[in-house]
Amino acid sequence: MTDNLSPIDTAKFVAARRACDYVASGMRVGLGTGSTAAWLVKSLGEMVREEGLKITGVPTSARTADLARAAGIEVVSLEEARWLDVTIDGADEFDPEMNLIKGGGGALLMEKIVATASDQMVVIADTTKEVAALGAFPLPVEVIPFGWQTTRGLIQETLSGLDVMGDRVVQRMAGDAPFVTDQGNFILDLHLGRIGNARQLALILNQIPGVVENGLFIDICDVVIIGHSDGRAEVRDINSGTVEESLVPMGEAANIFRDMAD
Ligand code: 5RP
């Protein structure tokens, strides 16, 4: 059934499917954004429809809200839910301390708010997301459109005094127009190469006027689930210090693969 899936998509599916074990009836669940999180939403939707799972989902983007509703998951706002049992989301990079770069899909602001309003954040990823040090993936920073060039200049100036390899700051585009987030803001992608002190950088960036939030998630993630294309899912829990591996039965995925093809 997975014949049509690339190895990377199979790995994303495996991580997402394993993450469903962190969800039980009655829970309020933060739903991440991106291609890996889409597998999670599809999988949870299938459990709602086929197995009677009862959850409410708080999406981290308009895209995920649409996907969740289409999958049959009851969607509520964070204002309604107030606090969540778990948030499950993808990442662009994670390091050995389980600090993350997020925002490749432009949803970092809602993703950070939702994740920090949760008892637990579970990150789902394929093996390509694991890094020794954060920074090869350009760090997304959400900025207010008003005076964004000034904000970009201030960011660039700030970077020159910090332990980073590069300092190129590029406005994210969507075709010929600036990329605009769900909150109506712009994204600046910081091409840093390597971040020496991610904790310090995260704090300093948020002091710059015009910066709304940055894509560094420090001490927010509790569990990383790494999916492999052969069906293995590795679960690393930072709180218990445990690492577990299990095999995700791919046969159960038939309905989801059929849905994805629709
Ligand atoms: C969106 C994100 C995503 O979680 C991140 O970009 C990973 O996406 P994908 O699962 O498609 O690789 O932060 O803002």
Side-chain angles (χ1 to χ4, degrees):
M1 217 53 216
T2 59
D3 286 355
N4 296 333
L5 279 187
S6 67
I8 204 92
D9 277 334
T10 305
K12 288 177 183 189
F13 167 78
V14 164
R17 194 72 181 180
R18 178 66 176 85
C20 292
D21 295 344
Y22 286 77
V23 178
S25 268
M27 281 190 173
R28 288 161 295 183
V29 182
L31 303 171
T33 295
S35 57
T36 319
W39 285 113
L40 172 88
V41 174
K42 288 274 182 187
S43 297
L44 289 177
E46 193 206 22
M47 289 164 71
V48 166
R49 296 191 310 275
E50 312 274 325
E51 297 167 27
L53 177 73
K54 292 197 186 326
I55 56 167
T56 47
V58 173
T60 52
S61 64
R63 257 172 300 159
T64 297
D66 291 345
L67 195 62
R69 285 195 191 95
I73 298 171
E74 185 190 345
V75 168
V76 296
S77 66
L78 185 57
E79 289 71 25
E80 290 168 287
R82 300 294 282 272
W83 194 259
L84 308 179
D85 296 283
V86 64
T87 284
I88 304 172
D89 200 350
D92 299 300
E93 285 185 350
F94 67 90
D95 73 5
E97 279 78 47
M98 293 191 193
N99 293 321
L100 319 171
I101 285 185
K102 284 187 53 56
L108 66 103
L109 177 58
M110 287 170 76
E111 289 173 337
K112 200 181 266 192
I113 294 171
V114 169
T116 51
S118 308
D119 282 341
Q120 201 176 26
M121 182 193 195
V122 175
V123 162
I124 46 179
D126 59 80
T127 53
T128 65
K129 307 294 180 65
E130 182 167 18
V131 295
L134 299 174
F137 190 92
L139 174 65
V141 176
E142 183 156 344
V143 299
I144 301 241
F146 176 82
W148 72 268
Q149 292 99 331
T150 308
T151 306
R152 179 172 66 179
L154 286 170
I155 291 174
Q156 210 131 29
E157 208 176 297
T158 304
L159 290 175
S160 65
L162 294 176
D163 182 11
V164 290
M165 225 162 70
D167 66 354
R168 200 160 57 90
V169 180
V170 179
Q171 184 184 31
R172 190 178 299 181
M173 303 294 285
D176 291 338
F179 176 91
V180 178
T181 68
D182 283 355
Q183 278 69 42
N185 297 316
F186 292 160
I187 297 280
L188 301 179
D189 288 310
L190 279 49
H191 294 253
L192 305 176
R194 188 178 185 282
I195 300 171
N197 188 336
R199 186 179 302 273
Q200 179 197 46
L201 179 62
L203 290 174
I204 289 177
L205 283 173
N206 282 14
Q207 301 301 313
I208 298 173
V211 169
V212 182
E213 190 51 84
N214 68 79
L216 285 166
F217 283 48
I218 309 294
D219 295 338
I220 295 177
C221 170
D222 299 284
V223 174
V224 172
I225 302 180
I226 305 160
H228 295 260
S229 54
D230 60 4
R232 281 177 303 122
E234 185 185 333
V235 180
R236 298 184 195 167
D237 186 317
I238 193 106
N239 301 312
S240 64
T242 54
V243 179
E244 286 166 18
E245 196 174 276
S246 57
L247 211 55
V248 171
M250 304 299 282
E252 291 174 12
N255 294 339
I256 301 169
F257 292 131
R258 194 193 53 223
D259 288 351
M260 290 297 277
D262 288 345

mmCIF file of all heavy atoms in Angstrom, residues 12 33-37 63 89-92 101-108 111 124 126 129 137, ligand 1:
data_model
loop_
_atom_site.group_PDB
_atom_site.id
_atom_site.type_symbol
_atom_site.label_atom_id
_atom_site.label_comp_id
_atom_site.label_asym_id
_atom_site.label_seq_id
_atom_site.Cartn_x
_atom_site.Cartn_y
_atom_site.Cartn_z
ATOM 1 N N LYS A 12 7.750 10.093 7.075
ATOM 2 C CA LYS A 12 6.880 11.101 7.713
ATOM 3 C C LYS A 12 5.605 10.444 8.220
ATOM 4 O O LYS A 12 5.138 10.738 9.325
ATOM 5 C CB LYS A 12 6.532 12.201 6.702
ATOM 6 C CG LYS A 12 7.686 13.115 6.369
ATOM 7 C CD LYS A 12 7.310 14.143 5.310
ATOM 8 C CE LYS A 12 8.533 14.999 4.961
ATOM 9 N NZ LYS A 12 8.211 16.134 4.109
ATOM 10 N N THR A 33 1.550 22.175 11.532
ATOM 11 C CA THR A 33 1.429 22.573 10.129
ATOM 12 C C THR A 33 2.609 22.002 9.344
ATOM 13 O O THR A 33 3.721 21.922 9.866
ATOM 14 C CB THR A 33 1.418 24.112 10.035
ATOM 15 O OG1 THR A 33 0.233 24.579 10.674
ATOM 16 C CG2 THR A 33 1.412 24.585 8.580
ATOM 17 N N GLY A 34 2.335 21.633 8.087
ATOM 18 C CA GLY A 34 3.414 21.116 7.239
ATOM 19 C C GLY A 34 3.070 19.737 6.714
ATOM 20 O O GLY A 34 2.021 19.171 7.047
ATOM 21 N N SER A 35 3.966 19.190 5.904
ATOM 22 C CA SER A 35 3.668 17.914 5.248
ATOM 23 C C SER A 35 3.650 16.748 6.240
ATOM 24 O O SER A 35 2.864 15.810 6.088
ATOM 25 C CB SER A 35 4.678 17.653 4.132
ATOM 26 O OG SER A 35 5.992 17.661 4.646
ATOM 27 N N THR A 36 4.507 16.787 7.262
ATOM 28 C CA THR A 36 4.509 15.699 8.251
ATOM 29 C C THR A 36 3.260 15.796 9.129
ATOM 30 O O THR A 36 2.594 14.793 9.400
ATOM 31 C CB THR A 36 5.783 15.744 9.123
ATOM 32 O OG1 THR A 36 6.905 16.054 8.301
ATOM 33 C CG2 THR A 36 6.015 14.421 9.815
ATOM 34 N N ALA A 37 2.939 17.021 9.539
ATOM 35 C CA ALA A 37 1.738 17.220 10.368
ATOM 36 C C ALA A 37 0.473 16.849 9.593
ATOM 37 O O ALA A 37 -0.524 16.420 10.193
ATOM 38 C CB ALA A 37 1.682 18.665 10.849
ATOM 39 N N ARG A 63 -4.485 26.486 6.976
ATOM 40 C CA ARG A 63 -4.337 25.255 6.173
ATOM 41 C C ARG A 63 -4.691 24.012 6.986
ATOM 42 O O ARG A 63 -5.443 23.138 6.558
ATOM 43 C CB ARG A 63 -2.876 25.098 5.752
ATOM 44 C CG ARG A 63 -2.553 25.463 4.336
ATOM 45 C CD ARG A 63 -1.052 25.440 4.156
ATOM 46 N NE ARG A 63 -0.368 26.391 5.038
ATOM 47 C CZ ARG A 63 0.911 26.324 5.396
ATOM 48 N NH1 ARG A 63 1.655 25.325 4.999
ATOM 49 N NH2 ARG A 63 1.456 27.238 6.177
ATOM 50 N N ASP A 89 3.604 18.275 16.098
ATOM 51 C CA ASP A 89 3.971 19.154 14.987
ATOM 52 C C ASP A 89 5.276 18.668 14.354
ATOM 53 O O ASP A 89 6.032 17.921 14.988
ATOM 54 C CB ASP A 89 4.144 20.593 15.526
ATOM 55 C CG ASP A 89 4.035 21.646 14.433
ATOM 56 O OD1 ASP A 89 4.020 21.295 13.235
ATOM 57 O OD2 ASP A 89 3.964 22.842 14.789
ATOM 58 N N GLY A 90 5.523 19.110 13.150
ATOM 59 C CA GLY A 90 6.790 18.817 12.488
ATOM 60 C C GLY A 90 7.859 19.810 12.905
ATOM 61 O O GLY A 90 7.633 20.682 13.751
ATOM 62 N N ALA A 91 9.020 19.708 12.282
ATOM 63 C CA ALA A 91 10.111 20.668 12.534
ATOM 64 C C ALA A 91 11.011 20.702 11.310
ATOM 65 O O ALA A 91 11.045 19.750 10.518
ATOM 66 C CB ALA A 91 10.909 20.260 13.769
ATOM 67 N N ASP A 92 11.719 21.791 11.172
ATOM 68 C CA ASP A 92 12.688 21.891 10.079
ATOM 69 C C ASP A 92 14.044 21.347 10.504
ATOM 70 O O ASP A 92 14.777 20.801 9.688
ATOM 71 C CB ASP A 92 12.798 23.352 9.627
ATOM 72 C CG ASP A 92 11.464 23.853 9.112
ATOM 73 O OD1 ASP A 92 10.964 23.265 8.141
ATOM 74 O OD2 ASP A 92 10.901 24.787 9.703
ATOM 75 N N ILE A 101 14.340 24.349 14.972
ATOM 76 C CA ILE A 101 13.982 25.442 14.063
ATOM 77 C C ILE A 101 12.660 25.048 13.435
ATOM 78 O O ILE A 101 12.500 23.930 12.941
ATOM 79 C CB ILE A 101 15.038 25.670 12.965
ATOM 80 C CG1 ILE A 101 16.271 26.365 13.560
ATOM 81 C CG2 ILE A 101 14.456 26.539 11.834
ATOM 82 C CD1 ILE A 101 17.335 26.742 12.552
ATOM 83 N N LYS A 102 11.708 25.980 13.492
ATOM 84 C CA LYS A 102 10.405 25.773 12.866
ATOM 85 C C LYS A 102 10.033 27.024 12.081
ATOM 86 O O LYS A 102 10.619 28.076 12.252
ATOM 87 C CB LYS A 102 9.337 25.478 13.914
ATOM 88 C CG LYS A 102 9.420 24.052 14.457
ATOM 89 C CD LYS A 102 8.267 23.689 15.361
ATOM 90 C CE LYS A 102 6.911 23.927 14.798
ATOM 91 N NZ LYS A 102 6.645 23.251 13.505
ATOM 92 N N GLY A 103 9.023 26.868 11.225
ATOM 93 C CA GLY A 103 8.540 28.026 10.470
ATOM 94 C C GLY A 103 8.774 27.929 8.980
ATOM 95 O O GLY A 103 8.489 28.870 8.251
ATOM 96 N N GLY A 104 9.290 26.766 8.540
ATOM 97 C CA GLY A 104 9.474 26.576 7.103
ATOM 98 C C GLY A 104 8.166 26.756 6.344
ATOM 99 O O GLY A 104 8.153 27.197 5.195
ATOM 100 N N GLY A 105 7.075 26.440 7.005
ATOM 101 C CA GLY A 105 5.751 26.609 6.383
ATOM 102 C C GLY A 105 5.122 27.949 6.725
ATOM 103 O O GLY A 105 3.978 28.221 6.343
ATOM 104 N N GLY A 106 5.842 28.777 7.480
ATOM 105 C CA GLY A 106 5.373 30.130 7.781
ATOM 106 C C GLY A 106 4.381 30.217 8.928
ATOM 107 O O GLY A 106 3.764 31.264 9.125
ATOM 108 N N ALA A 107 4.244 29.136 9.706
ATOM 109 C CA ALA A 107 3.225 29.138 10.767
ATOM 110 C C ALA A 107 3.845 29.200 12.166
ATOM 111 O O ALA A 107 3.196 28.864 13.151
ATOM 112 C CB ALA A 107 2.348 27.899 10.626
ATOM 113 N N LEU A 108 5.091 29.679 12.256
ATOM 114 C CA LEU A 108 5.817 29.559 13.524
ATOM 115 C C LEU A 108 5.154 30.266 14.696
ATOM 116 O O LEU A 108 5.244 29.817 15.837
ATOM 117 C CB LEU A 108 7.250 30.075 13.352
ATOM 118 C CG LEU A 108 7.400 31.577 13.062
ATOM 119 C CD1 LEU A 108 7.839 32.324 14.289
ATOM 120 C CD2 LEU A 108 8.367 31.806 11.933
ATOM 121 N N GLU A 111 2.280 28.211 15.872
ATOM 122 C CA GLU A 111 2.860 26.940 16.333
ATOM 123 C C GLU A 111 3.504 27.099 17.707
ATOM 124 O O GLU A 111 3.368 26.232 18.578
ATOM 125 C CB GLU A 111 3.901 26.443 15.318
ATOM 126 C CG GLU A 111 3.276 25.948 14.025
ATOM 127 C CD GLU A 111 4.277 25.609 12.940
ATOM 128 O OE1 GLU A 111 5.415 26.127 12.975
ATOM 129 O OE2 GLU A 111 3.927 24.837 12.042
ATOM 130 N N ILE A 124 7.321 15.388 15.220
ATOM 131 C CA ILE A 124 7.399 14.253 14.298
ATOM 132 C C ILE A 124 8.288 14.656 13.122
ATOM 133 O O ILE A 124 8.136 15.729 12.558
ATOM 134 C CB ILE A 124 5.989 13.803 13.828
ATOM 135 C CG1 ILE A 124 5.127 15.005 13.421
ATOM 136 C CG2 ILE A 124 5.301 13.003 14.924
ATOM 137 C CD1 ILE A 124 3.727 14.619 12.931
ATOM 138 N N ASP A 126 11.296 13.147 9.896
ATOM 139 C CA ASP A 126 12.087 12.110 9.241
ATOM 140 C C ASP A 126 13.556 12.339 9.606
ATOM 141 O O ASP A 126 13.893 13.354 10.224
ATOM 142 C CB ASP A 126 11.866 12.132 7.716
ATOM 143 C CG ASP A 126 12.241 13.475 7.136
ATOM 144 O OD1 ASP A 126 13.446 13.702 6.936
ATOM 145 O OD2 ASP A 126 11.347 14.320 6.906
ATOM 146 N N LYS A 129 15.876 15.697 9.408
ATOM 147 C CA LYS A 129 15.686 16.882 10.258
ATOM 148 C C LYS A 129 16.659 16.938 11.443
ATOM 149 O O LYS A 129 16.744 17.941 12.136
ATOM 150 C CB LYS A 129 14.239 16.930 10.790
ATOM 151 C CG LYS A 129 13.164 16.825 9.720
ATOM 152 C CD LYS A 129 13.178 18.034 8.814
ATOM 153 C CE LYS A 129 12.135 18.031 7.717
ATOM 154 N NZ LYS A 129 10.775 18.084 8.130
ATOM 155 N N PHE A 137 19.308 25.163 8.184
ATOM 156 C CA PHE A 137 18.008 25.589 7.650
ATOM 157 C C PHE A 137 17.840 27.077 7.999
ATOM 158 O O PHE A 137 18.021 27.469 9.159
ATOM 159 C CB PHE A 137 16.872 24.768 8.274
ATOM 160 C CG PHE A 137 15.543 24.999 7.603
ATOM 161 C CD1 PHE A 137 15.128 24.200 6.551
ATOM 162 C CD2 PHE A 137 14.714 26.042 8.015
ATOM 163 C CE1 PHE A 137 13.911 24.424 5.919
ATOM 164 C CE2 PHE A 137 13.494 26.272 7.383
ATOM 165 C CZ PHE A 137 13.100 25.460 6.332
HETATM 166 C C1 5RP B 1 5.607 25.019 9.508
HETATM 167 C C2 5RP B 1 6.639 24.217 10.206
HETATM 168 C C3 5RP B 1 6.764 22.790 9.821
HETATM 169 O O1 5RP B 1 6.529 22.007 10.922
HETATM 170 C C4 5RP B 1 8.129 22.533 9.308
HETATM 171 O O2 5RP B 1 8.370 23.446 8.232
HETATM 172 C C5 5RP B 1 8.311 21.114 8.808
HETATM 173 O O3 5RP B 1 7.515 20.892 7.692
HETATM 174 P P1 5RP B 1 7.483 19.512 6.933
HETATM 175 O O4 5RP B 1 6.845 18.530 7.844
HETATM 176 O O5 5RP B 1 6.654 19.799 5.700
HETATM 177 O O6 5RP B 1 8.902 19.157 6.584
HETATM 178 O O7 5RP B 1 7.339 24.669 11.069
HETATM 179 O O8 5RP B 1 5.669 26.371 9.884
#
